[in-house]
Amino acid sequence: MDFITVYFLVISALLGACAGSFLNCFAWRIVHGESVMKGRSHCDECGHVLGVRDLIPIVSYLASGGKCRYCGAKLSKRHLGAEIVSALVFLSIAWKYGISLETLEFWLLGSALLACSFADLEAYLVPDRFIVFAIIVRAVFIAVSPEPLEALKTSLIGGFSVAAAVLLVVIVMEKVLKKDAMGGGDIKLIFVIGLYLGWERNLLCLMMSALFGVVAGMISLKKKNDEEAEAFPWGPSIACAAWVTALFGSEIISWYLQFFTTVR
Ligand SMILES: [Zn+2]
């Protein structure tokens, strides 16, 4: 690896950590009905406004031992988790796609999905504004692509085909089970991921998200009591599946399809 590549990857990870810190705060303010633009970052416990020293991703958390510097309240580990996961997302995308427009596009999609995941973990909802943001970003990239019409077609088929199928299954299941099978926010996530990845990879993403969801569900069932177990955020599993699919989807699909090609 040459110097430029290493430098780019380091910058990507730092950018990701900063994005994670910002997105986590942004998502928290939205689900708690606080103004996004107004008000400086403050401690949730004592309300003390945070200084520059407190806002350095990862470093601030570790330096303060995971406590507020002013009142000593323990900070949620989710802050640290959000920053580390976001750094990994940005880094892995940069590693896969290099210095390219695709990297920028997936960083922006990743940011939207991370924000949706943080909101879902915090309040079991997927805010529409993050979905709208991702749709607008995709529209801009389609407009500047070499073949906009072809890209638009692939994108729309990718979004609608899988999301419509899921919606149909959910409607049938809700009729049969007479209870909510899946949140509307989750279907919007599947739709928006399809716009970026096309229908083949979106289908892979859907299957993988079901697998991740079951595993995450079993882990959280062990931890929580029965009341809390009723509500389960599926958004992070979908976002995680989209991450793996964006990185390795094409390879996984061609590996799978080789079993169906006849040997001449
Ligand atoms: Zn405090």
Side-chain angles (χ1 to χ4, degrees), residues 196-207:
Y196 284 76
L197 298 179
W199 73 266
E200 297 99 330
R201 285 192 287 174
N202 199 17
L203 198 59
L204 176 68
C205 173
L206 177 69
M207 290 189 284

Side-chain angles (χ1 to χ4, degrees), residues 43 45-46 68 70-71 73:
C43 168
E45 287 297 323
C46 66
C68 170
Y70 309 100
C71 68

Side-chain angles (χ1 to χ4, degrees), residues 1-157:
M1 268 206 280
D2 57 294
F3 174 73
I4 295 291
T5 312
V6 175
Y7 182 74
F8 176 60
L9 291 180
V10 170
I11 294 293
S12 302
L14 291 176
L15 190 67
C18 293
S21 175
F22 169 76
L23 293 167
N24 189 38
C25 174
F26 195 66
W28 194 93
R29 286 187 179 195
I30 284 178
V31 299
H32 291 283
E34 276 188 29
S35 167
V36 175
M37 293 304 165
K38 273 184 270 173
R40 306 258 312 268
S41 296
H42 54 80
C43 168
D44 298 336
E45 287 297 323
C46 66
H48 196 295
V49 171
L50 301 180
V52 179
R53 261 186 73 181
D54 309 305
L55 294 172
I56 309 162
I58 304 173
V59 177
S60 293
Y61 185 95
L62 296 178
S64 67
K67 286 187 189 127
C68 170
R69 277 204 301 134
Y70 309 100
C71 68
K74 231 171 142 34
L75 299 173
S76 166
K77 276 214 175 64
R78 194 172 294 161
H79 296 299
L80 182 66
E83 288 157 6
I84 292 174
V85 169
S86 304
L88 288 176
V89 167
F90 273 55
L91 175 66
S92 58
I93 290 169
W95 162 75
K96 172 81 184 185
Y97 293 100
I99 304 173
S100 67
L101 273 180
E102 270 171 314
T103 295
L104 181 63
E105 190 177 4
F106 278 130
W107 278 355
L108 291 168
L109 171 66
S111 298
L113 294 181
L114 284 162
C116 289
S117 302
F118 300 150
D120 205 5
L121 284 171
E122 179 68 23
Y124 304 107
L125 57 89
V126 176
D128 279 339
R129 66 177 79 191
F130 299 139
I131 302 286
V132 172
F133 169 80
I135 293 173
I136 292 170
V137 167
R138 182 64 190 136
V140 170
F141 277 89
I142 287 173
V144 300
S145 73
E147 288 180 73
L149 278 182
E150 195 57 33
L152 181 66
K153 205 176 90 183
T154 311
S155 199
L156 289 178
I157 293 173

Side-chain angles (χ1 to χ4, degrees), residues 182-201:
M182 189 186 196
D186 301 326
I187 298 171
K188 289 177 198 163
L189 281 175
I190 294 288
F191 169 74
V192 94
I193 290 163
L195 295 182
Y196 284 76
L197 298 179
W199 73 266
E200 297 99 330
R201 285 192 287 174

